[in-house]
Amino acid sequence: MIQNEMSRRRLLGLGVGLGAAATLTLAGCGGGSSTKGSTAAGNGGKDYTGPKVDLKLWNGFTGGDGDIFKKLVEQFNSEHQNIAVSVITYEWQDYYSKLPGAVTSGNGPDIAVMHMDQLATFAARGVITELDDVAKALELSEGDFAPTVWKGGIYHDKRYGIPLDMHPMGFYYNKAVMQKGGLDPNKPPTTKDEFTAALTELKKAGVQGFWVSPFQFTGGMTFYSLLHQWGGTLFDADVAKATFNSDPAVEACTWLVDLIKQGFSPANVGQDADYLALKSGKNAFNFNGIWQINDLKKSPSVQWGVAPLPQIGSQKATWANSHNFTIVKQRSADNNKVSGAKVFINWLSQHSLDWAKGGQIPARKEVREGAEFKALPEISALAPELEYAAFPPAAPGLGEVMTTFYNAFNEAALGKKSPKQALDDGVNKANKQLEDNRKKYGN
Amino acid sequence: MADVIEVGAARGDAPPPAGRNRRRGATQRGHRATPYLFLAPYLVLFLVFGLAPIVFGVWISLHQWDLQLPNRPFIGLENYRDLFSSDSADYADWWSSVRATAIFTVLSVPLLVVVPLGLALLLNEKFPGRTFFRAAFFAPYVLGVAVIGLLWRFLLDANLGLVNRLLGAFGLPADTPWVTDVPWAWVSLVGVTVWWTCGFNAVIYLAGLQDIPAELYEAAKVDGASAWDRFRHVTLPGLRPVLLFVLTTTILASANVFGQSFLITQGAPGEQTRTVVWRIVDEGLRNYDVGQASAMSVLFALLLAVVSIVNFRLFRYRED
């Protein structure tokens, strides 16, 4: 029985491989002059004229963004008689663990929404297909997006994701608390000097103004941002070695940890406590994800504002990630489905203004520069960050390595190790993990 | 399953003629098959969902196995060797998670065996509102780990949580890092787990207590045994099989701790409260290294099997 199971799985694996190869070849031809083969009923995403297709789409939009997404899909379905997209939503964490198994067993979706930092992993694992022809046919290029977002969808010189949006960190400030400290609530600090001056004023008024969380959300991401502001990087250019113990990294980490030592932040900040403290008037400043805008809007009693992150280091930088559309490889490639999926991706990309209302910055430049987007004040306030956002690098298997990075910061922020020691230990471990990844995924 | 029946019937009657004959044949000579027929449903379930996954898991653990990557080379015991050689990336993580799990188990099991026993003894007495208290102590158990995890994470928060505020109100230190530093994190995790699950063990003890014949207590009383004597010489021996059950299942349940530390301490500080099951889940479902995760599972299962065997031995020894 186990033998049977084995050979079935081997066969299956082979099937995926062959199917993938077939898709690639077909996709390669599909991009240029229109249909030679009668089955290929698409032209890379402009329109679809074939028989009706049902498409399954997986995403992880479980928050308020989920409803907006579903409404958009409904609108798409009503405008396209021959394409029916059905949406299946999981928590992101479940989502990424379910997807590979589902694809292997043939129950995977046709379209998958994926974070930019997952693209390389899933591309290397053969879960998703190349989309260069979509970009070409839709005449999408770097100029239509922010370069950082556009380049993030590339792995081994091939495009795997069409960016939908980007979500950076923003600088949230509680106006009431700022007033309490005698600060101008409409002038959030923008530089290191202004920032520390404001913290000093707040401390005088008995407020710990910037709670440093030791956890990934959001202290780890804050450190990530500052590390780039100091001019450091997480990894070297080939993502072969971890570099987050470089001098700039240690300086950035020390600066954050010192905020705790100097009493600007309480010690032992719990998960979400930094944000809850901001909301309840105990904390003045918080670096947090753009997704909190919608949450804050639900609390009309809180007087708050949001701005790009202040420049603490020598340059501007912020943590950011991006949702991308991908097309999932199937055991038996159905070109009609692939064509339908491309039409959907293109359509939704064009309608990303509506998506912006869900609390994301549209990746598409024309949408981002339109008047309607600018009418969303909080979200468009963070749009300038797109130019200097530090996206995670494109290398497969980075999830585990990033955990190591965040845990190193955790140990430093909790005072278990000095910043230098914590980051050195983290880099040692990360290098082993990167080595393992290289063995596993090849170069 | 179908195979088992076919074989049994065929043996019972070589050429299968008319239906009636065949049936009679089966009842006459087929009695050897009867126990197997009764066993069959469970046996099939066991084979499909018990044995096969175990064997398959061991097989996977000998490979560099990834759900997507096309080649899954056989690498023998390399996955196991990685867990024992300090130069592998997994080594430190693995043993730190074993250590975390051991600490949690050693701290929580005595409490989870003793506290519910006391509770059950109390709830076994007759007093007004007994049913209410029984329900009240059992209630937390019905909550999911996600609920109790979130709940206690906020209650235990060092700077905003109710626990520290209450302590402060009584003049006690109000800045204990309940979820971000050891040993406090262990106190929190064990405390929450006892609060959450002690109702379940209490219910099992209660059932056991009600099986002890009342005459034994009466006879003991007549002989002048004190309450403590009665507990030692009547209650405890009467509960022995229940105790063994509770102890064994509690050890296994505590060793499988995952949700509490995942949600409440998030492994902090560093990875000190990251447990084995969490590690296995991460390795298999986040890094997709199913081979390594299987090797961890197999090793962990062996460890627990040894603990359970020792446990059974100890109890049998006492009984002799």
Side-chain angles (χ1 to χ4, degrees):
Chain A
M1 175 190 170
I2 282 142
Q3 278 306 322
N4 284 344
E5 179 71 2
M6 271 305 300
S7 52
R8 195 179 68 84
R9 278 182 183 264
R10 275 220 190 98
L11 259 175
L12 215 157
L14 252 173
V16 172
L18 286 175
T23 323
L24 295 190
T25 339
L26 279 163
C29 321
S33 62
S34 61
T35 54
K36 229 182 210 173
S38 56
T39 45
N43 51 8
K46 282 243 159 89
D47 50 38
Y48 171 70
T49 50
K52 180 162 182 178
V53 285
D54 290 306
L55 299 175
K56 272 194 289 180
L57 183 151
W58 281 22
N59 68 50
F61 301 128
T62 49
D65 44 5
D67 293 332
I68 292 174
F69 191 80
K70 274 179 197 148
K71 255 182 225 152
L72 277 167
V73 172
E74 272 166 34
Q75 189 189 338
F76 172 85
N77 284 341
S78 66
E79 287 176 19
H80 296 80
Q81 295 309 317
N82 53 354
I83 307 174
V85 178
S86 57
V87 178
I88 300 154
T89 307
Y90 297 104
E91 294 274 349
W92 282 118
Q93 213 150 17
D94 293 342
Y95 175 92
Y96 287 121
S97 44
K98 278 195 172 106
L99 189 62
V103 171
T104 308
S105 64
N107 296 313
D110 302 286
I111 309 168
V113 182
M114 215 170 263
H115 287 99
M116 185 193 276
D117 57 339
Q118 301 282 345
L119 289 173
T121 305
F122 283 94
R125 302 168 59 76
V127 176
I128 53 180
T129 60
E130 293 169 33
L131 296 172
D132 282 308
D133 64 318
V134 184
K136 209 186 283 172
L138 300 175
E139 289 158 11
L140 291 175
S141 67
E142 193 172 306
D144 298 311
F145 296 85
T148 41
V149 190
W150 184 243
K151 281 176 190 145
I154 295 171
Y155 172 65
H156 277 195
D157 299 328
K158 296 194 173 77
R159 171 156 302 281
Y160 286 90
I162 300 286
L164 169 65
D165 61 33
M166 80 119 185
H167 37 275
M169 289 190 105
F171 174 39
Y172 294 87
Y173 48 98
N174 186 316
K175 294 182 177 178
V177 179
M178 284 174 78
Q179 267 166 334
K180 198 175 152 191
L183 303 169
D184 182 347
N186 295 314
K187 272 199 177 160
T190 56
T191 65
K192 187 179 182 178
D193 291 343
E194 286 175 23
F195 194 76
T196 37
L199 287 182
T200 311
E201 288 304 310
L202 287 162
K203 196 179 163 190
K204 278 184 206 156
V207 178
Q208 295 185 305
F210 186 70
W211 290 31
V212 179
S213 153
F215 297 101
Q216 174 181 357
F217 291 92
T218 54
M221 288 150 63
T222 302
F223 172 49
Y224 179 117
S225 304
L226 293 187
L227 183 153
H228 286 91
Q229 287 203 358
W230 253 267
T233 53
L234 295 185
F235 309 102
D236 65 2
D238 305 328
V239 200
K241 290 268 177 239
T243 56
F244 55 79
N245 64 343
S246 63
D247 289 345
V250 174
E251 278 170 40
C253 186
T254 308
W255 185 82
L256 269 173
V257 173
D258 281 352
L259 291 183
I260 304 172
K261 287 189 183 155
Q262 292 157 359
F264 295 128
S265 160
N268 295 301
V269 175
Q271 175 69 59
D272 296 336
D274 49 335
Y275 176 67
L276 293 173
L278 178 95
K279 260 171 93 173
S280 60
K282 291 192 165 82
N283 180 9
F285 305 135
N286 184 216
F287 293 4
N288 212 318
I290 191 173
W291 49 83
Q292 300 293 21
I293 289 175
N294 281 352
D295 184 67
L296 281 165
K297 279 187 175 167
K298 283 183 214 148
S299 318
S301 60
V302 186
Q303 300 163 274
W304 60 281
V306 62
L309 294 197
Q311 184 184 331
I312 311 285
S314 57
Q315 61 192 54
K316 289 181 176 178
T318 179
W319 173 97
N321 210 329
S322 155
H323 290 123
N324 280 248
F325 280 120
T326 62
I327 295 184
V328 178
K329 280 183 190 170
Q330 305 297 330
R331 271 199 261 173
S332 51
D334 179 340
N335 287 305
N336 288 327
K337 284 197 167 191
V338 174
S339 306
K342 289 172 179 173
V343 171
F344 172 80
I345 291 174
N346 182 37
W347 184 91
L348 205 80
S349 170
Q350 283 164 344
H351 287 73
S352 55
L353 174 68
D354 299 294
W355 181 236
K357 291 170 188 161
Q360 313 274 349
I361 299 174
R364 212 151 169 155
K365 202 173 181 179
E366 52 178 14
V367 181
R368 212 167 56 239
E369 286 176 351
E372 282 184 88
F373 175 67
K374 293 200 167 119
L376 303 166
E378 293 91 0
I379 292 168
S380 62
L382 297 183
E385 294 189 328
L386 204 43
E387 301 308 324
Y388 51 80
F391 288 92
L398 268 198
E400 192 188 18
V401 193
M402 290 306 292
T403 304
T404 302
F405 167 76
Y406 287 121
N407 281 336
F409 175 72
N410 183 283
E411 289 177 317
L414 289 174
K416 307 301 281 183
K417 290 178 185 169
S418 72
K420 172 90 177 122
Q421 187 65 46
L423 297 178
D424 280 347
D425 291 353
V427 161
N428 275 339
K429 186 166 159 192
N431 280 338
K432 282 184 192 168
Q433 290 169 328
L434 289 169
E435 176 74 37
D436 277 5
N437 277 345
R438 255 196 313 282
K439 274 187 215 149
K440 182 168 171 182
Y441 294 104
N443 244 331
Chain B
M1 185 169 109
D3 284 345
V4 178
I5 297 169
E6 289 296 303
V7 170
R11 261 195 212 137
D13 222 333
R20 198 190 293 165
N21 279 345
R22 188 182 164 186
R23 207 179 303 144
R24 195 188 299 148
T27 43
Q28 277 170 358
R29 285 198 276 160
H31 58 272
R32 267 180 301 155
T34 316
Y36 296 103
L37 280 173
F38 277 106
L39 261 178
Y42 178 74
L43 194 66
V44 168
L45 285 177
F46 172 73
L47 288 176
V48 174
F49 295 106
L51 194 64
I54 292 172
V55 176
F56 192 39
V58 173
W59 176 251
I60 288 177
S61 75
L62 303 174
H63 292 72
Q64 189 182 323
W65 191 287
D66 187 296
L67 288 174
Q68 243 79 40
L69 300 183
N71 47 340
R72 295 161 178 167
F74 181 86
I75 54 170
L77 294 173
E78 201 177 305
N79 283 328
Y80 293 92
R81 209 198 55 203
D82 274 356
L83 299 179
F84 288 100
S85 66
S86 56
D87 58 338
S88 84
D90 292 307
Y91 174 82
D93 275 349
W94 165 250
W95 290 106
S96 123
S97 68
V98 170
R99 183 170 171 271
T101 307
I103 291 175
F104 179 82
T105 309
V106 167
L107 292 178
S108 68
V109 168
L111 288 172
L112 282 169
V113 169
V114 174
V115 173
L117 178 59
L119 201 60
L121 288 171
L122 283 175
L123 294 174
N124 201 33
E125 299 296 318
K126 287 196 176 69
F127 61 94
R130 185 173 71 159
T131 321
F132 168 78
F133 283 106
R134 283 183 178 180
F137 286 116
F138 188 72
Y141 187 74
V142 302
L143 296 174
V145 68
V147 178
I148 66 119
L150 267 184
L151 182 75
W152 282 100
R153 195 171 85 203
F154 288 124
L155 290 174
L156 291 166
D157 189 283
N159 299 294
L160 302 171
L162 195 64
V163 173
N164 268 350
R165 203 179 306 167
L166 282 177
L167 289 174
F170 288 105
L172 296 163
D175 57 353
T176 312
W178 292 111
V179 296
T180 50
D181 205 355
V182 285
W184 310 110
W186 290 120
V187 175
S188 306
L189 290 175
V190 170
V192 168
T193 307
V194 169
W195 168 82
W196 181 36
T197 60
C198 81
F200 180 75
N201 282 352
V203 165
I204 293 171
Y205 280 130
L206 261 180
L209 287 175
Q210 281 158 13
D211 271 353
I212 301 174
E215 304 89 74
L216 290 180
Y217 286 104
E218 279 160 28
K221 258 188 206 166
V222 171
D223 289 345
S226 69
W228 170 247
D229 289 334
R230 272 176 274 145
F231 174 71
R232 258 198 74 188
H233 298 292
V234 181
T235 310
L236 274 187
L239 280 181
R240 178 160 303 199
V242 178
L243 267 171
L244 177 60
F245 173 79
V246 168
L247 187 63
T248 310
T249 54
T250 305
I251 291 175
L252 295 182
S254 285
N256 279 307
V257 60
F258 164 44
Q260 293 96 309
S261 65
F262 184 71
L263 292 160
I264 298 175
T265 63
Q266 304 184 297
E271 302 200 1
Q272 289 192 47
T273 55
R274 226 167 119 113
T275 62
V276 168
V277 174
W278 183 354
R279 186 77 215 137
I280 293 172
V281 169
D282 249 14
E283 195 66 31
L285 298 179
R286 259 193 65 199
N287 305 334
Y288 311 110
D289 193 345
V290 187
Q292 184 70 69
S294 301
M296 290 176 178
S297 307
V298 170
L299 200 61
F300 190 49
L302 286 176
L303 268 170
L304 291 182
V306 169
V307 172
S308 298
I309 289 167
V310 169
N311 191 7
F312 269 89
R313 281 280 154 87
L314 282 177
F315 264 74
R316 197 167 51 186
Y317 176 70
R318 271 192 225 149
E319 212 162 5
D320 289 342

